[in-house]
């Protein structure tokens, strides 16, 4: 992946600590498509992002702020590990992923062949059936009891997304009580953003499954960064648990670089790298931005459903590239899914 390696090397090319002066990365990056578009107030995006981190970290805004230079040493160590691809917590490529991706990209792959590949991985089989029966994917009242049934009911497009979620779910499961709430909320947020991006891509006639997996990668990067940061804190500062202000800086600064490392580690096709880079650095006047729009809408809806401060609908429509009618369609699916998930958790 020469292009990606060149990009990531350039991003971290300095031998000197850069954490004090490096510009903050943005999770939410709206695109202005024409010169006639109204100016977008950066404060709108900043507030929505801040509210997301407050909810994910279960902390008020004041606790997310830190003094200038307070965490430079820890952040520099984390930066170095990312730059040199030495994240101990970076999830390795799932063994069956290459075979599954080849099968799913081949139009000649039949239901039986795909079912056989999945069944050869018992852990994936168990996760897949759990995910297929979750509110995010279940299409009716009837439960899905076998892989063959899942492939038949969901179809090839649907099963692609279930496989993506089933592969990532174990990596994002809480390891202890300290990260339980964070892991639960990051997973819900990631699925909501991924589903939003998928629905928007489908409306726009694009490959929806690419956007679903790409939409999950920032969520996986968050749990990866939090765990890596905990390792760094223990060795560099003696902290057992990094404070919310430090986690906030690490996540917001390195979310996209870590997402790219995940895609690289998993040998995902170049189109995944391209979508992640386009979401981080959207080109001016870009007309179709399913990943950006999906993350913005997913973030707004998951916060709204959790009764957190979010963003007015009119502002969402100003900073995304979908019509009001399309927004209503996407939002209805997402809201129904979130409400069904809430009933399941209850």
């Amino acid at each position: 992946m020469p292009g990606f390696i060149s990009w990531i090397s350039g991003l971290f090319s300095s031998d000197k600590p850069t954490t004090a002066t490096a510009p903050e990365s943005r999770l939410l990056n709206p695109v202005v498509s024409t010169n006639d578009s109204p100016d977008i107030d950066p404060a709108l995006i900043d507030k929505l992002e801040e509210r997301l981190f407050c909810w994910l970290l279960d902390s008020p805004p004041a606790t997310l702020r830190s003094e200038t230079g307070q965490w430079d040493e820890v952040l520099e160590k984390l930066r170095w590990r990312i730059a040199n691809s030495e994240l101990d917590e970076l999830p390795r490529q799932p063994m069956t992923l290459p075979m599954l991706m080849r099968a799913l990209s081949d139009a000649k792959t039949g239901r039986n062949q795909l079912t056989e590949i999945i069944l050869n991985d018992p852990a994936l089989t168990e996760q897949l059936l759990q995910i297929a029966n979750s509110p995010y994917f279940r299409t009716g009242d009837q439960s899905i009891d076998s892989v063959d049934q899942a492939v038949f009911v969901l179809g090839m497009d649907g099963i692609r997304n279930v496989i993506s979620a089933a592969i990532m779910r174990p990596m994002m499961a809480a390891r202890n009580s300290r990260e339980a709430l964070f892991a639960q909320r990051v997973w819900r947020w990631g699925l909501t953003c991924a589903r939003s991006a998928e629905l928007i891509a489908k409306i726009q006639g694009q490959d929806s499954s690419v956007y679903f997996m790409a939409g999950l990668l920032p969520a996986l990067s968050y749990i990866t960064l939090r765990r890596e940061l905990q390792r760094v804190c223990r060795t560099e500062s003696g902290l057992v648990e990094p404070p919310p202000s430090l986690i906030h800086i690490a996540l917001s600064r390195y979310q996209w670089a870590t997402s790219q490392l995940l895609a690289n580690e998993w040998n995902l096709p170049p189109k995944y790298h391209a979508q992640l880079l386009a979401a981080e650095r959207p080109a001016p006047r870009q007309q179709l931005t399913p990943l950006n729009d999906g993350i913005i809408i997913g973030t707004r809806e998951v916060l709204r459903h959790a009764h957190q401060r979010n963003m007015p609908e009119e502002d969402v429509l100003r900073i995304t590239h979908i019509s009001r009618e399309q927004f209503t369609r996407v939002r209805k699916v997402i809201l129904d899914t979130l409400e069904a998930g809430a009933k399941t958790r209850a």
Side-chain angles (χ1 to χ4, degrees), residues 99-100 103-104 106-121 125 146-153 155-156 159 163:
M99 191 182 302
L100 282 168
L104 289 167
D106 187 350
K108 297 179 182 178
T109 300
R111 195 173 88 196
N112 292 339
Q113 183 180 355
L114 183 60
T115 298
E116 184 179 348
I117 295 172
I118 296 169
L119 288 174
N120 283 333
D121 186 336
T125 300
S146 68
V147 173
D148 185 65
Q149 184 186 4
V151 177
F152 176 75
V153 171
M156 294 298 277
I159 203 66
I163 288 171

Side-chain angles (χ1 to χ4, degrees), residues 246-289:
L246 177 53
I247 300 174
H248 174 226
I249 296 172
L251 298 189
S252 63
R253 187 170 289 172
Y254 299 126
Q255 57 207 353
W256 291 115
T258 305
S259 295
Q260 290 280 11
L261 285 178
L262 283 162
N264 198 52
E265 174 68 25
W266 292 8
N267 292 318
L268 295 181
K271 57 187 174 182
Y272 288 90
H273 291 286
Q275 293 304 335
L276 291 170
L277 189 56
E280 180 187 7
R281 303 175 185 180
R285 299 184 179 87
Q286 190 174 343
Q287 292 299 316
L288 301 179
T289 57

Side-chain angles (χ1 to χ4, degrees), residues 112-174:
N112 292 339
Q113 183 180 355
L114 183 60
T115 298
E116 184 179 348
I117 295 172
I118 296 169
L119 288 174
N120 283 333
D121 186 336
L124 176 62
T125 300
E126 182 180 356
Q127 281 292 328
L128 185 142
L129 291 176
Q130 289 182 17
I131 296 292
N133 283 293
S134 72
Y136 278 86
F137 297 99
R138 191 165 172 173
T139 56
D141 295 332
Q142 184 179 3
S143 64
I144 294 176
D145 301 317
S146 68
V147 173
D148 185 65
Q149 184 186 4
V151 177
F152 176 75
V153 171
L154 298 172
M156 294 298 277
D157 286 340
I159 203 66
R160 281 187 178 94
N161 298 340
V162 171
I163 288 171
S164 297
I167 285 171
M168 294 194 197
R169 183 67 187 100
M171 303 172 186
M172 298 180 66

Side-chain angles (χ1 to χ4, degrees), residues 28-77:
L28 309 176
N29 295 294
V31 180
V32 177
S33 59
T34 68
N35 292 331
D36 298 328
S37 298
D39 290 337
I40 297 171
D41 183 359
L44 286 174
I45 310 301
D46 293 341
K47 284 295 182 185
L48 186 61
E49 236 178 89
E50 181 183 79
R51 288 160 185 164
L52 171 66
F53 284 118
C54 285
W55 179 68
L56 291 178
L57 298 171
D58 198 31
S59 301
T63 63
L64 299 187
R65 302 177 187 124
S66 59
E67 298 177 8
T68 302
Q70 183 178 1
W71 305 113
D72 279 359
E73 186 176 349
V74 172
L75 289 167
E76 168 58 17
K77 185 65 175 179

Side-chain angles (χ1 to χ4, degrees), residues 166-241:
I167 285 171
M168 294 194 197
R169 183 67 187 100
M171 303 172 186
M172 298 180 66
R175 294 178 179 174
N176 51 57
S177 59
R178 289 192 302 275
E179 70 175 33
L181 183 62
F182 177 77
Q184 178 194 83
R185 289 181 175 179
V186 165
W187 176 242
R188 192 189 319 167
W189 169 72
L191 277 177
T192 304
C193 292
R195 192 68 199 279
S196 298
E198 173 216 357
L199 291 167
I200 295 168
K202 192 173 291 185
I203 288 172
Q204 297 175 346
Q206 300 189 66
D207 185 351
S208 58
S209 62
V210 171
Y211 289 96
F212 184 87
M213 178 177 271
L216 281 176
L217 287 173
L220 183 54
S221 80
Y222 280 8
I223 198 76
T224 300
L225 283 166
R226 189 181 192 277
R227 289 168 177 168
E228 192 72 26
L229 190 61
Q230 189 174 52
R231 284 177 174 263
V232 173
C233 283
R234 285 176 177 171
T235 57
E236 297 295 320
S237 63
L239 291 173
V240 175
E241 186 72 13

